[in-house]
Amino acid sequence: MTHAVRYRDLLTTNVEAMIDDLRRLVHVETPSDRPDLLRAGLADIEDYVTTRLGAPSRRQRHDGGARGDVLDLTWEGTAPGAVLCLVHYDTVWPEGTVDDWPLTRDGDILTGPGVLDMKAGLVQTVWMLLVLREVGEPHPAVRLLLTGDEEIGSSVGRPHIEAAAADALVTLIPEPSAAGDVKLQRKGMVFADLQVHGVESHAGLDPDAGASAITELAALIPQINALADRERETTVNVGVIRGGSGRNVVAGVASCEVDIRIQDPAEEDRMVAALEALTVTDPRCSLEVIVERNRPPMNPTAHSQGLLTLLRTAAADLDETVDSRAVGGASDGNFVSALGLPVIDGIGGIGAGPHARHEHITVKGLSRQTALMAAVAEQLGAAHR
């Protein structure tokens, strides 16, 4: 048995304060591509968490440049070890979105930009520690790592995530849940940017003098799509195409952006090699291919199955159930899982619509998910006393 019911009851009693906290965070706009807003937003976020939890016993802020700083805060526990809570504070929503879409409540539904992905996760982390302290059950230290570039690839956040996770009993990632279930299997991601350079000419007066970059790129796209392998759960999407300068100009430049999702780790090497081997047929044209191995896949491990047992124990105390899901999206949890380290991903808000205008969470889910996080920390504290 855990104190999950007591945690939930405390959270339910304080749910209006949790909603006020969430409103504050949603109204702090932190789009990934605005370093000025990320900087200001992180200062506001730090003020919020330290006001709620007190000064941390350990604080480090790492310069992230244009991609937002990384803030690493730890509050001591009453049992050995530490639980790492990994939260990204950047969102996909541009400045000004909140002006006509503030946090709004309609019964059990809370909607607003970034409310699900993932500012609810930060509120959950803060209140997890608050209820652990209130109940007084021994618990590990809580380490909060805030990153500002998850939505655009985590190139700054990744090394800090991997270093912090290495020392943790578990990494809890309050990313959006799958209708209350956690995500123990995620796709990995490979990105590719292709640019073809051709020769411009007048399409009417001198068409043969030109070499169309668009024509060459169009011939490459079926080859790229053919790399998909449904049996291995590898998908390919050419999501953006650009090219040419005018209807009557043989195109001198054309480019495309490719998104590849993989479940089998071996597929990463196959896809990278195939993309880098692409060639154009017209010798007057040239091709540049830039490939980024963005995230490795997350697959179930012995660690994840053991952690799912802890979650199920806590859920049973609440007379509820928790299962695990496989999803096509990726998160920073992919980095942790690929290192063979324990991680629970998708323990955040219950809702729908991340990155969409119907983004929302449920109020009831806010209490439930936070109680589950606290109960996991409690069980880890008991196991390591």
Side-chain angles (χ1 to χ4, degrees):
M1 294 284 291
T2 69
H3 289 83
V5 171
R6 190 169 176 192
Y7 298 139
R8 184 185 60 190
D9 290 347
L10 282 168
L11 292 160
T12 302
T13 299
N14 288 281
V15 74
E16 293 302 325
M18 296 179 76
I19 293 171
D20 286 343
D21 288 359
L22 190 52
R23 180 174 293 104
R24 173 178 176 174
L25 295 176
V26 167
H27 291 192
V28 175
E29 294 186 296
T30 49
S32 305
D33 61 351
R34 287 289 302 274
D36 56 333
L37 295 181
L38 290 173
R39 222 170 13 252
L42 186 55
D44 203 346
I45 289 167
E46 183 173 10
D47 179 71
Y48 159 66
V49 297
T50 55
T51 297
R52 279 291 187 201
L53 299 175
S57 57
R58 178 177 174 273
R59 176 193 184 276
Q60 283 187 296
R61 182 162 174 159
H62 306 279
D63 183 6
R67 286 181 166 243
D69 290 354
V70 176
L71 185 60
D72 188 351
L73 306 172
T74 299
W75 289 267
E76 291 301 324
T78 52
V83 170
L84 174 64
C85 294
L86 181 55
V87 176
H88 69 85
Y89 61 94
D90 63 318
T91 76
V92 300
W93 299 102
E95 183 184 18
T97 303
V98 77
D99 294 342
D100 62 0
W101 187 25
L103 186 77
T104 304
R105 182 175 183 176
D106 182 7
D108 191 47
I109 300 297
L110 290 167
T111 181
V115 66
L116 177 64
D117 188 13
M118 62 178 296
K119 292 189 174 176
L122 179 53
V123 172
Q124 288 181 209
T125 299
V126 168
W127 282 87
M128 173 194 74
L129 183 50
L130 287 174
V131 295
L132 283 168
R133 288 172 174 175
E134 178 69 19
V135 171
E137 192 70 12
H139 62 85
V142 172
R143 184 175 183 181
L144 171 60
L145 192 70
L146 291 152
T147 65
D149 66 341
E150 192 272 349
E151 297 291 2
I152 54 174
S154 298
S155 61
V156 167
R158 180 175 184 172
H160 300 289
I161 291 164
E162 292 175 338
D167 298 326
L169 298 174
V170 65
T171 297
L172 298 179
I173 306 181
E175 284 273 11
S177 71
D181 290 336
V182 292
K183 302 171 181 178
L184 298 188
Q185 188 169 22
R186 288 183 177 272
K187 291 286 186 77
M189 299 166 64
V190 176
F191 297 153
D193 294 326
L194 282 72
Q195 187 168 76
V196 178
H197 292 274
V199 179
E200 289 186 336
S201 69
H202 193 294
L205 295 176
D206 203 8
D208 293 334
S212 175
I214 288 177
T215 299
E216 288 295 326
L217 182 63
L220 289 172
I221 288 173
Q223 298 177 51
I224 296 168
N225 287 333
L227 297 175
D229 188 330
R230 290 288 181 173
E231 289 187 3
R232 295 181 183 177
E233 299 183 65
T234 300
T235 62
V236 176
N237 181 60
V238 180
V240 177
I241 298 177
R242 301 181 183 89
S245 58
R247 186 193 302 270
N248 60 349
V249 180
V250 175
V253 179
S255 64
C256 69
E257 299 174 15
V258 186
D259 178 294
I260 297 163
R261 305 289 169 128
I262 59 170
Q263 200 66 66
D264 179 353
E267 283 289 87
E268 183 176 298
D269 286 341
R270 180 180 78 85
M271 298 304 290
V272 171
L275 289 163
E276 291 180 341
L278 292 170
T279 58
V280 291
T281 57
D282 190 322
R284 296 173 296 169
C285 293
S286 62
L287 171 65
E288 180 183 8
V289 181
I290 300 174
V291 182
E292 176 190 345
R293 299 172 186 254
N294 184 261
R295 282 178 170 85
M298 172 192 288
N299 288 301
T301 65
H303 280 311
S304 59
Q305 294 305 314
L307 292 167
L308 186 58
T309 298
L310 297 184
L311 270 174
R312 285 174 169 160
T313 297
D317 292 341
L318 297 173
D319 292 324
E320 299 199 30
T321 59
V322 172
D323 207 343
S324 63
R325 303 273 190 97
V327 297
S331 85
D332 286 337
N334 291 52
F335 301 133
V336 181
S337 177
L339 294 174
L341 298 170
V343 57
I344 299 176
D345 198 350
I347 198 171
I350 298 175
H355 301 190
R357 271 279 177 168
H358 62 283
E359 180 174 357
H360 67 271
I361 64 166
T362 66
V363 175
K364 183 179 178 181
L366 196 59
S367 298
R368 174 191 187 267
Q369 297 297 88
T370 309
L372 290 178
M373 290 175 68
V376 168
E378 175 193 327
Q379 291 175 84
L380 289 169
H384 292 85
R385 274 187 285 179

